[in-house]
Amino acid sequence: MQVVLRTIILSILLMGCALLLRSQKRYDSAPASFFLPEVPPAVNQIFAAGLVSSGLDEMGGVFSPDFSEFYFTVRHKADYTVILRIRYEDGFWRYPEVVSFSGLYQDADPFITEDGRRMFFASTRPVGTDGHASDWNIWFIDRVDGVWQEPIFYSHNTSRNERSPTVSSRGDLFYSVDDNSSLITYDFLATNIWMAQSDSDGWQLPHVLPRSVNSEWADYTPLISLDGQFLVFASNRAGGMGASDLYYCSRLTDGTWGEAVNAGPEVNTSESEHYPSFTPDGKFLLFASDRKLLLPKNHEPLTYTILKRLGLGPGNGFNDIYYRKSLR
């Protein structure tokens, strides 16, 4: 009798799960519509609250070209930095998971190329064979038959910290380097944006971008458009609106870079805005911000539930990912 009863209960549970799955909305024709509206908003909106922007320290989000995957970075102070992925599979978006090549060393700043077959990222994993973690360097990893292979080292200056790689359609590589520092550890205030032009052998020797882009302050997390003509980056330079703002500049007809322009109050706040990315269709700008969720002036008395929501959820002062219409 107990066996029959257990069988009946199990059958009911399985039927309930099947009905629940059938009742959930599928996004087969447009997976990104689960996260993004059809029309890009003119105001900043938090991205995937509770799933991606969850109250942890999330940044550096990027879609795969077909919008079926979303990669992002989660860090906790200096303890760990890992790359995570959420994926659309069998009609539904799955929960975040650490990617196969991350979780042992510090890994951050994923960028996927236009064809989806290569990812660039930054990592402290060993460069040599001694097994010891190094400073931050640029790495890339190729995908074959849907599977990420082994990371391949790319960095020109192994004595400095290189972060936030971004690549144009022709393969030109941009990234930030703390080249103005004499410290051994990563020196945020000494970062500049560099570029390595693509050629038949890989990349030419990199060079620092001119003072129309870089400043005497921290200039970091670059994002290059696919055509290589539009650059977005973060800077804490004087005259900004907050701790760090997003700026953009365009390449002029003579090939030089125009003056950097602050993205303005529509994007920036008194806190930090950084780690920009474009959606594959170019319609949306994604970026990270550590802006806080503010209580209204005449709010009700605080409860424990409210305190948990403010302290553990999005808007708690750690980075969350936001989206809005593109700057271009």
Side-chain angles (χ1 to χ4, degrees):
M1 182 67 181
Q2 289 182 344
V3 173
V4 173
L5 183 60
R6 285 199 297 267
T7 303
I8 293 173
I9 294 173
L10 179 59
S11 298
I12 292 173
L13 290 174
L14 291 173
M15 288 174 61
C17 291
L19 288 171
L20 178 61
L21 288 173
R22 284 199 294 269
S23 67
Q24 290 179 315
K25 183 178 179 181
R26 299 172 67 95
Y27 298 87
D28 297 299
S29 61
S33 62
F34 179 81
F35 302 107
L36 302 171
E38 184 176 349
V39 178
V43 295
N44 304 324
Q45 302 287 333
I46 197 163
F47 179 84
L51 181 61
V52 173
S53 300
S54 65
L56 298 175
D57 207 356
E58 301 103 356
M59 64 203 72
V62 59
F63 277 102
S64 62
D66 62 357
F67 285 98
S68 67
E69 297 174 306
F70 185 78
Y71 293 83
F72 61 103
T73 302
V74 169
R75 72 180 180 190
H76 180 70
K77 300 180 180 178
D79 299 332
Y80 62 79
T81 309
V82 294
I83 297 174
L84 282 82
R85 175 186 70 165
I86 56 174
R87 56 194 172 95
Y88 187 77
E89 184 181 51
D90 297 330
F92 304 100
W93 282 97
R94 305 300 175 179
Y95 285 107
E97 57 187 356
V98 178
V99 296
S100 60
F101 55 88
S102 187
L104 184 59
Y105 303 101
Q106 304 269 32
D107 301 308
D109 312 335
F111 180 88
I112 300 178
T113 55
E114 185 180 15
D115 60 11
R117 292 185 292 183
R118 174 170 289 183
M119 177 190 291
F120 289 82
F121 65 101
S123 178
T124 63
R125 64 190 58 218
V127 173
T129 59
D130 58 7
H132 294 292
S134 65
D135 55 12
W136 286 99
N137 291 293
I138 305 299
W139 294 72
F140 62 87
I141 185 169
D142 292 326
R143 178 155 35 188
V144 179
D145 296 329
V147 179
W148 292 113
Q149 305 300 300
E150 289 299 315
I152 300 172
F153 173 71
Y154 164 85
S155 275
H156 173 64
N157 186 353
T158 56
S159 66
R160 293 312 321 153
N161 293 275
E162 298 163 312
R163 294 285 306 267
S164 303
T166 176
V167 183
S168 67
S169 290
R170 72 178 305 273
D172 294 337
L173 174 63
F174 295 72
Y175 52 93
S176 57
V177 187
D178 61 341
D179 57 326
N180 281 335
S181 177
S182 59
L183 301 179
I184 297 176
T185 56
Y186 177 59
D187 188 353
F188 165 72
L189 296 177
T191 52
N192 282 306
I193 298 171
W194 284 61
M195 171 192 175
Q197 188 171 341
S198 175
D199 63 18
S200 58
D201 296 323
W203 293 275
Q204 299 177 8
L205 290 178
H207 62 272
V208 65
L209 293 188
R211 282 303 172 191
S212 57
V213 178
N214 287 306
S215 68
E216 298 298 327
W217 303 76
D219 303 292
Y220 66 111
T221 62
L223 166 66
I224 190 64
S225 61
L226 289 178
D227 63 8
Q229 303 298 306
F230 190 73
L231 181 69
V232 185
F233 62 96
S235 179
N236 70 342
R237 64 186 62 188
M241 301 184 61
S244 181
D245 288 353
L246 289 185
Y247 288 78
Y248 62 88
C249 57
S250 299
R251 199 188 292 268
L252 305 179
T253 55
D254 63 358
T256 61
W257 287 100
E259 293 293 329
V261 178
N262 189 293
E266 294 80 10
V267 176
N268 296 312
T269 66
S270 59
E271 307 300 332
S272 292
E273 281 72 43
H274 41 197
Y275 297 93
S277 71
F278 293 127
T279 52
D281 57 13
K283 295 181 179 179
F284 293 85
L285 171 72
L286 284 74
F287 62 94
S289 176
D290 59 2
R291 62 189 66 179
K292 299 178 181 66
L293 180 65
L294 300 178
L295 287 169
K297 292 182 179 180
N298 298 318
H299 63 83
E300 297 294 325
L302 294 176
T303 65
Y304 181 62
T305 300
I306 295 175
L307 291 175
K308 285 185 66 177
R309 186 171 71 246
L310 293 175
L312 302 179
N316 62 356
F318 289 122
N319 282 289
D320 298 303
I321 297 176
Y322 289 80
Y323 70 89
R324 56 164 287 118
K325 67 178 182 179
S326 180
L327 294 174
R328 195 174 185 186

